[in-house]
Amino acid sequence: MSFKQDNLIQIKTFEFALEIIRFYLECKAQNEYVLSKQILRSGTSIGANVEEAIAAQSKKDFISKLSIANKDARETKYWLRLYHSSNLVEINMESYLKEIETIINILTKIIKTSSENL
């Protein structure tokens, strides 16, 4: 897999998407089919929107795409918290919650810095 050198958010969101796919498969193995589809969509779209941002045509487009990625990350955090509180599956959520929080913080910082530099 080829990543832009030193692009931390691109790497983190891609790796997180892979973890979400594994999470989805584990949910299915535990017969949970409803919420798992929601988290699969939101959790994998974070990285897709980061990829679109990297190819943005302008700074405003870049900020817009990263803002969408940030919204997807926050949605994913919501689903993870819901799983954590509902005990629908026997999966430890701590590492997922920690990683999504890190991703949200990085995205928020990039958006803020980019907006200030407009």
Coordinates of all heavy atoms in Angstrom, one line a residue, residues 1-4 6-22 39-54 62 65-74 76 80 96 98-108 110-111:
M1 N 0.8 -1.2 0.0 CA 0.0 0.0 0.0 C 0.9 1.2 0.0 O 1.8 1.3 0.8 CB -0.9 0.0 1.3 CG -1.8 1.1 1.3 SD -3.5 0.8 0.7 CE -3.4 1.4 -1.0
S2 N 0.6 2.2 -0.8 CA 1.4 3.4 -1.0 C 0.7 4.6 -0.3 O -0.4 4.9 -0.6 CB 1.6 3.7 -2.4 OG 2.2 4.9 -2.6
F3 N 1.4 5.2 0.7 CA 0.9 6.3 1.3 C 1.8 7.5 1.1 O 3.0 7.4 0.9 CB 0.8 6.1 2.9 CG -0.3 5.2 3.3 CD1 0.1 3.9 3.8 CD2 -1.6 5.5 3.2 CE1 -0.9 3.0 4.2 CE2 -2.6 4.6 3.6 CZ -2.2 3.4 4.1
K4 N 1.2 8.7 1.1 CA 2.0 9.9 1.0 C 2.9 9.9 2.2 O 2.5 9.7 3.3 CB 1.1 11.1 1.0 CG 1.8 12.4 0.8 CD 0.8 13.6 0.7 CE 1.6 14.9 0.5 NZ 0.7 16.0 0.6
D6 N 4.8 10.3 5.5 CA 4.5 11.0 6.7 C 3.1 11.6 6.8 O 2.9 12.5 7.6 CB 5.6 12.2 6.9 CG 7.0 11.6 7.0 OD1 7.2 10.5 7.5 OD2 7.9 12.4 6.5
N7 N 2.2 11.1 6.1 CA 0.8 11.6 6.3 C 0.1 10.7 7.4 O -0.5 9.7 7.1 CB 0.0 11.5 5.0 CG -1.3 12.3 5.0 OD1 -1.9 12.3 6.1 ND2 -1.7 12.9 3.9
L8 N 0.2 11.2 8.6 CA -0.2 10.4 9.7 C -1.7 10.1 9.7 O -2.2 9.0 9.9 CB 0.1 11.2 11.0 CG -0.4 10.6 12.3 CD1 0.3 9.3 12.6 CD2 -0.2 11.5 13.5
I9 N -2.5 11.1 9.3 CA -4.0 10.9 9.3 C -4.4 10.0 8.2 O -5.3 9.2 8.4 CB -4.8 12.3 9.2 CG1 -6.2 12.1 9.6 CG2 -4.6 12.9 7.9 CD1 -6.5 11.6 11.0
Q10 N -3.7 10.0 7.1 CA -4.0 9.0 6.0 C -3.7 7.6 6.5 O -4.5 6.7 6.3 CB -3.2 9.3 4.8 CG -3.5 8.5 3.6 CD -2.5 8.7 2.4 OE1 -1.4 9.1 2.6 NE2 -3.0 8.5 1.2
I11 N -2.6 7.4 7.1 CA -2.2 6.1 7.6 C -3.2 5.6 8.7 O -3.7 4.5 8.7 CB -0.8 6.1 8.1 CG1 0.2 6.4 7.0 CG2 -0.4 4.8 8.9 CD1 1.6 6.7 7.4
K12 N -3.4 6.5 9.7 CA -4.3 6.2 10.8 C -5.7 5.8 10.4 O -6.3 4.9 10.9 CB -4.3 7.3 11.9 CG -3.1 7.3 12.8 CD -3.4 8.2 13.9 CE -2.5 8.0 15.1 NZ -2.6 6.6 15.7
T13 N -6.3 6.6 9.5 CA -7.7 6.3 9.1 C -7.8 5.0 8.2 O -8.8 4.3 8.3 CB -8.3 7.5 8.3 OG1 -7.5 7.9 7.2 CG2 -8.4 8.7 9.2
F14 N -6.7 4.7 7.4 CA -6.7 3.5 6.7 C -6.6 2.3 7.6 O -7.4 1.3 7.5 CB -5.5 3.5 5.7 CG -5.5 2.2 4.8 CD1 -6.3 2.2 3.7 CD2 -4.7 1.1 5.2 CE1 -6.3 1.0 2.9 CE2 -4.7 0.0 4.4 CZ -5.5 0.0 3.2
E15 N -5.7 2.4 8.6 CA -5.6 1.3 9.6 C -6.8 1.1 10.4 O -7.2 0.0 10.7 CB -4.3 1.5 10.4 CG -3.0 1.3 9.6 CD -1.8 1.7 10.4 OE1 -1.9 2.2 11.5 OE2 -0.7 1.4 9.9
F16 N -7.4 2.2 10.8 CA -8.7 2.2 11.5 C -9.8 1.5 10.7 O -10.5 0.7 11.3 CB -9.1 3.6 12.0 CG -10.3 3.6 12.9 CD1 -10.2 3.2 14.2 CD2 -11.5 4.0 12.4 CE1 -11.3 3.2 15.1 CE2 -12.7 3.9 13.2 CZ -12.5 3.5 14.6
A17 N -9.9 1.8 9.4 CA -10.9 1.2 8.6 C -10.7 -0.3 8.6 O -11.7 -1.1 8.6 CB -10.8 1.8 7.2
L18 N -9.4 -0.8 8.5 CA -9.2 -2.2 8.6 C -9.7 -2.8 9.9 O -10.3 -3.9 9.9 CB -7.7 -2.5 8.4 CG -7.1 -2.2 7.0 CD1 -5.6 -2.4 7.0 CD2 -7.8 -3.1 5.9
E19 N -9.4 -2.1 11.0 CA -9.9 -2.6 12.3 C -11.4 -2.6 12.4 O -12.0 -3.5 12.9 CB -9.3 -1.7 13.4 CG -7.9 -1.8 13.7 CD -7.5 -3.3 14.0 OE1 -8.2 -3.9 14.9 OE2 -6.5 -3.8 13.5
I20 N -12.1 -1.6 11.7 CA -13.5 -1.6 11.7 C -14.1 -2.8 10.9 O -15.1 -3.4 11.3 CB -14.0 -0.2 11.2 CG1 -13.8 0.8 12.3 CG2 -15.5 -0.3 10.8 CD1 -14.6 0.6 13.6
I21 N -13.4 -3.1 9.8 CA -13.8 -4.3 9.0 C -13.8 -5.5 9.9 O -14.7 -6.4 9.9 CB -13.0 -4.4 7.8 CG1 -13.3 -3.3 6.8 CG2 -13.2 -5.8 7.1 CD1 -12.4 -3.1 5.6
R22 N -12.7 -5.7 10.6 CA -12.5 -6.9 11.5 C -13.6 -6.8 12.6 O -14.1 -7.9 13.0 CB -11.1 -6.9 12.1 CG -10.0 -7.2 11.1 CD -8.6 -7.2 11.8 NE -7.6 -7.2 10.7 CZ -6.9 -6.1 10.4 NH1 -7.0 -5.0 11.1 NH2 -6.0 -6.2 9.5
I39 N -21.8 1.0 11.7 CA -20.4 1.3 12.1 C -19.4 1.0 10.9 O -18.4 1.7 10.8 CB -20.0 0.7 13.4 CG1 -18.8 1.4 14.0 CG2 -19.7 -0.8 13.2 CD1 -18.5 1.0 15.4
L40 N -19.7 0.0 10.1 CA -18.9 -0.3 9.0 C -18.9 0.8 8.0 O -17.8 1.2 7.5 CB -19.4 -1.6 8.3 CG -18.6 -2.0 7.1 CD1 -17.2 -2.4 7.4 CD2 -19.3 -3.2 6.4
R41 N -20.1 1.4 7.7 CA -20.2 2.5 6.8 C -19.4 3.8 7.3 O -18.6 4.3 6.6 CB -21.6 2.9 6.5 CG -22.4 1.9 5.6 CD -23.6 2.5 5.0 NE -24.9 2.3 5.6 CZ -25.4 1.1 6.0 NH1 -24.8 0.0 5.9 NH2 -26.6 1.0 6.4
S42 N -19.7 4.2 8.5 CA -19.1 5.4 9.1 C -17.6 5.2 9.3 O -16.8 6.1 9.0 CB -19.8 5.9 10.3 OG -19.7 5.0 11.4
G43 N -17.2 4.0 9.8 CA -15.8 3.8 10.2 C -14.9 3.7 9.0 O -13.7 4.1 9.1
T44 N -15.4 3.2 7.9 CA -14.6 3.1 6.7 C -14.6 4.4 5.8 O -13.7 4.6 5.0 CB -15.0 1.9 5.8 OG1 -16.3 2.0 5.5 CG2 -14.7 0.6 6.6
S45 N -15.7 5.2 6.0 CA -15.8 6.4 5.2 C -14.8 7.5 5.7 O -14.5 8.4 4.9 CB -17.2 6.9 5.1 OG -17.6 7.3 6.3
I46 N -14.4 7.4 6.9 CA -13.4 8.4 7.4 C -12.2 8.5 6.5 O -11.9 9.6 6.0 CB -13.0 8.1 8.9 CG1 -14.2 8.0 9.8 CG2 -12.0 9.2 9.4 CD1 -13.9 7.3 11.1
G47 N -11.6 7.4 6.3 CA -10.4 7.3 5.4 C -10.7 7.7 4.0 O -9.8 8.3 3.3
A48 N -11.8 7.3 3.5 CA -12.2 7.6 2.1 C -12.3 9.1 1.9 O -11.8 9.7 0.9 CB -13.5 7.0 1.7
N49 N -12.8 9.8 2.9 CA -12.9 11.3 2.8 C -11.5 11.9 3.0 O -11.3 13.0 2.5 CB -13.9 11.8 3.8 CG -15.3 11.7 3.3 OD1 -15.7 12.2 2.3 ND2 -16.1 10.8 4.0
V50 N -10.7 11.3 3.8 CA -9.3 11.8 4.0 C -8.6 11.7 2.6 O -7.9 12.6 2.2 CB -8.5 11.1 5.1 CG1 -7.0 11.4 5.0 CG2 -9.1 11.5 6.4
E51 N -8.8 10.6 1.9 CA -8.2 10.4 0.6 C -8.7 11.5 -0.4 O -7.9 12.0 -1.2 CB -8.5 9.0 0.0 CG -7.8 7.9 0.7 CD -6.3 7.9 0.5 OE1 -5.8 8.3 -0.6 OE2 -5.6 7.5 1.4
E52 N -10.0 11.8 -0.3 CA -10.6 12.8 -1.2 C -9.9 14.2 -0.8 O -9.7 15.0 -1.7 CB -12.1 12.9 -1.1 CG -12.8 11.7 -1.8 CD -14.3 11.9 -1.8 OE1 -14.7 13.1 -1.9 OE2 -15.0 10.9 -1.7
A53 N -9.7 14.4 0.5 CA -9.1 15.7 0.9 C -7.7 15.9 0.3 O -7.3 17.0 -0.1 CB -9.1 15.8 2.4
I54 N -7.0 14.8 0.3 CA -5.6 14.8 -0.2 C -5.6 15.3 -1.7 O -4.7 16.0 -2.1 CB -4.9 13.5 0.0 CG1 -4.7 13.3 1.5 CG2 -3.6 13.4 -0.8 CD1 -4.3 11.9 1.9
F62 N -10.4 21.1 0.5 CA -9.6 20.3 1.5 C -10.3 20.3 2.9 O -10.6 19.3 3.5 CB -8.2 20.8 1.6 CG -7.3 20.1 2.6 CD1 -6.8 18.9 2.4 CD2 -7.1 20.8 3.8 CE1 -6.0 18.3 3.3 CE2 -6.3 20.2 4.8 CZ -5.7 18.9 4.5
K65 N -13.7 18.4 2.8 CA -13.6 17.0 2.8 C -13.2 16.5 4.2 O -13.7 15.4 4.7 CB -12.6 16.5 1.8 CG -13.0 16.8 0.3 CD -14.2 16.0 -0.1 CE -14.4 16.0 -1.6 NZ -15.1 17.2 -2.0
L66 N -12.2 17.2 4.8 CA -11.8 16.8 6.2 C -12.9 17.0 7.2 O -13.0 16.2 8.2 CB -10.5 17.5 6.6 CG -9.2 17.0 6.0 CD1 -8.0 17.8 6.7 CD2 -9.0 15.5 6.1
S67 N -13.7 18.0 7.0 CA -14.8 18.2 7.9 C -15.8 17.0 7.8 O -16.4 16.6 8.8 CB -15.5 19.5 7.6 OG -14.7 20.6 7.9
I68 N -16.0 16.5 6.6 CA -16.9 15.3 6.4 C -16.3 14.1 7.1 O -17.0 13.4 7.8 CB -17.2 15.1 4.9 CG1 -18.0 16.2 4.3 CG2 -17.9 13.7 4.7 CD1 -18.1 16.2 2.8
A69 N -15.0 14.0 7.0 CA -14.3 12.9 7.6 C -14.4 13.0 9.2 O -14.6 12.0 9.9 CB -12.8 12.9 7.3
N70 N -14.3 14.2 9.7 CA -14.5 14.4 11.1 C -15.9 14.1 11.6 O -16.1 13.5 12.6 CB -14.1 15.9 11.4 CG -13.8 16.1 12.9 OD1 -13.6 15.2 13.6 ND2 -13.7 17.4 13.3
K71 N -16.9 14.4 10.8 CA -18.3 14.1 11.1 C -18.4 12.6 11.1 O -19.1 12.0 12.0 CB -19.2 14.7 10.1 CG -19.4 16.2 10.3 CD -20.3 16.8 9.3 CE -20.4 18.3 9.4 NZ -21.3 18.9 8.4
D72 N -17.9 11.9 10.1 CA -17.9 10.4 10.1 C -17.2 9.8 11.3 O -17.7 8.8 11.9 CB -17.3 9.9 8.8 CG -18.1 10.1 7.6 OD1 -19.3 10.3 7.7 OD2 -17.5 10.2 6.5
A73 N -16.1 10.4 11.7 CA -15.4 9.9 12.9 C -16.2 10.1 14.2 O -16.3 9.2 15.0 CB -14.1 10.7 13.0
R74 N -16.9 11.2 14.3 CA -17.8 11.4 15.4 C -19.0 10.5 15.4 O -19.4 10.0 16.5 CB -18.2 12.9 15.5 CG -17.1 13.8 15.8 CD -17.4 15.3 15.8 NE -16.3 16.1 16.0 CZ -15.8 16.4 17.2 NH1 -16.4 15.9 18.3 NH2 -14.7 17.1 17.4
T76 N -18.9 7.5 14.1 CA -18.3 6.2 14.5 C -18.1 6.1 16.0 O -18.4 5.1 16.6 CB -17.0 6.0 13.8 OG1 -17.2 6.0 12.3 CG2 -16.3 4.6 14.1
L80 N -19.6 3.3 18.6 CA -18.7 2.5 19.5 C -19.2 2.7 20.9 O -19.2 1.7 21.7 CB -17.3 3.0 19.3 CG -16.6 2.6 18.1 CD1 -15.3 3.3 17.9 CD2 -16.4 1.1 18.0
Y96 N -10.7 0.8 20.4 CA -11.4 1.4 19.3 C -11.8 2.9 19.7 O -11.6 3.8 19.0 CB -12.7 0.7 19.0 CG -12.5 -0.7 18.4 CD1 -12.7 -1.8 19.2 CD2 -12.1 -0.9 17.1 CE1 -12.5 -3.1 18.7 CE2 -11.9 -2.1 16.6 CZ -12.1 -3.2 17.4 OH -11.9 -4.5 16.9
K98 N -10.3 4.7 22.0 CA -9.1 5.5 22.1 C -8.6 6.0 20.7 O -8.2 7.1 20.5 CB -8.0 4.7 22.8 CG -6.7 5.4 23.0 CD -5.7 4.6 23.7 CE -4.3 5.3 23.8 NZ -3.3 4.5 24.4
E99 N -8.6 5.0 19.8 CA -8.1 5.4 18.4 C -9.0 6.4 17.7 O -8.6 7.3 17.1 CB -8.0 4.1 17.6 CG -7.3 4.4 16.2 CD -5.9 4.9 16.3 OE1 -5.3 4.8 17.4 OE2 -5.5 5.5 15.3
I100 N -10.4 6.2 17.9 CA -11.3 7.2 17.2 C -11.1 8.6 17.8 O -11.2 9.6 17.1 CB -12.7 6.7 17.2 CG1 -13.5 7.5 16.1 CG2 -13.4 6.8 18.5 CD1 -13.0 7.3 14.7
E101 N -10.9 8.6 19.1 CA -10.6 9.9 19.8 C -9.4 10.6 19.2 O -9.3 11.8 19.0 CB -10.5 9.7 21.3 CG -10.7 11.0 22.1 CD -12.0 11.7 21.9 OE1 -13.0 11.0 21.9 OE2 -12.0 12.9 21.7
T102 N -8.3 9.8 19.0 CA -7.1 10.3 18.5 C -7.3 10.8 17.0 O -6.9 11.9 16.7 CB -6.0 9.2 18.4 OG1 -5.7 8.8 19.8 CG2 -4.7 9.7 17.8
I103 N -8.1 10.1 16.3 CA -8.4 10.5 14.9 C -9.2 11.8 14.9 O -8.9 12.7 14.1 CB -9.1 9.4 14.1 CG1 -8.1 8.2 13.8 CG2 -9.8 9.9 12.8 CD1 -8.7 7.0 13.3
I104 N -10.2 11.9 15.7 CA -11.0 13.1 15.8 C -10.1 14.3 16.2 O -10.2 15.4 15.6 CB -12.1 12.9 16.8 CG1 -13.2 12.0 16.3 CG2 -12.8 14.3 17.2 CD1 -14.2 11.5 17.3
N105 N -9.2 14.1 17.2 CA -8.3 15.2 17.6 C -7.4 15.7 16.5 O -7.2 16.9 16.3 CB -7.5 14.8 18.8 CG -8.4 14.7 20.1 OD1 -9.5 15.2 20.2 ND2 -7.9 13.9 21.0
I106 N -6.9 14.7 15.7 CA -6.0 15.1 14.6 C -6.7 15.8 13.5 O -6.3 16.9 13.0 CB -5.3 13.8 14.0 CG1 -4.3 13.2 15.1 CG2 -4.5 14.2 12.7 CD1 -3.8 11.8 14.7
L107 N -7.9 15.3 13.1 CA -8.7 15.9 12.1 C -9.1 17.3 12.5 O -9.0 18.3 11.7 CB -10.0 15.1 11.8 CG -9.7 13.8 11.0 CD1 -11.0 13.0 11.0 CD2 -9.3 14.1 9.6
T108 N -9.5 17.5 13.8 CA -10.0 18.8 14.3 C -8.8 19.8 14.2 O -9.0 21.0 13.8 CB -10.5 18.7 15.7 OG1 -11.6 17.8 15.7 CG2 -10.9 20.0 16.3
I110 N -6.1 19.7 12.2 CA -5.8 20.0 10.8 C -6.8 21.0 10.2 O -6.5 21.9 9.6 CB -5.8 18.7 9.9 CG1 -4.6 17.8 10.4 CG2 -5.6 19.0 8.4 CD1 -4.7 16.4 9.7
I111 N -8.1 20.8 10.5 CA -9.2 21.6 10.0 C -9.0 23.0 10.6 O -9.1 24.0 9.9 CB -10.6 21.1 10.4 CG1 -10.8 19.8 9.6 CG2 -11.7 22.1 10.1 CD1 -12.0 19.0 10.1

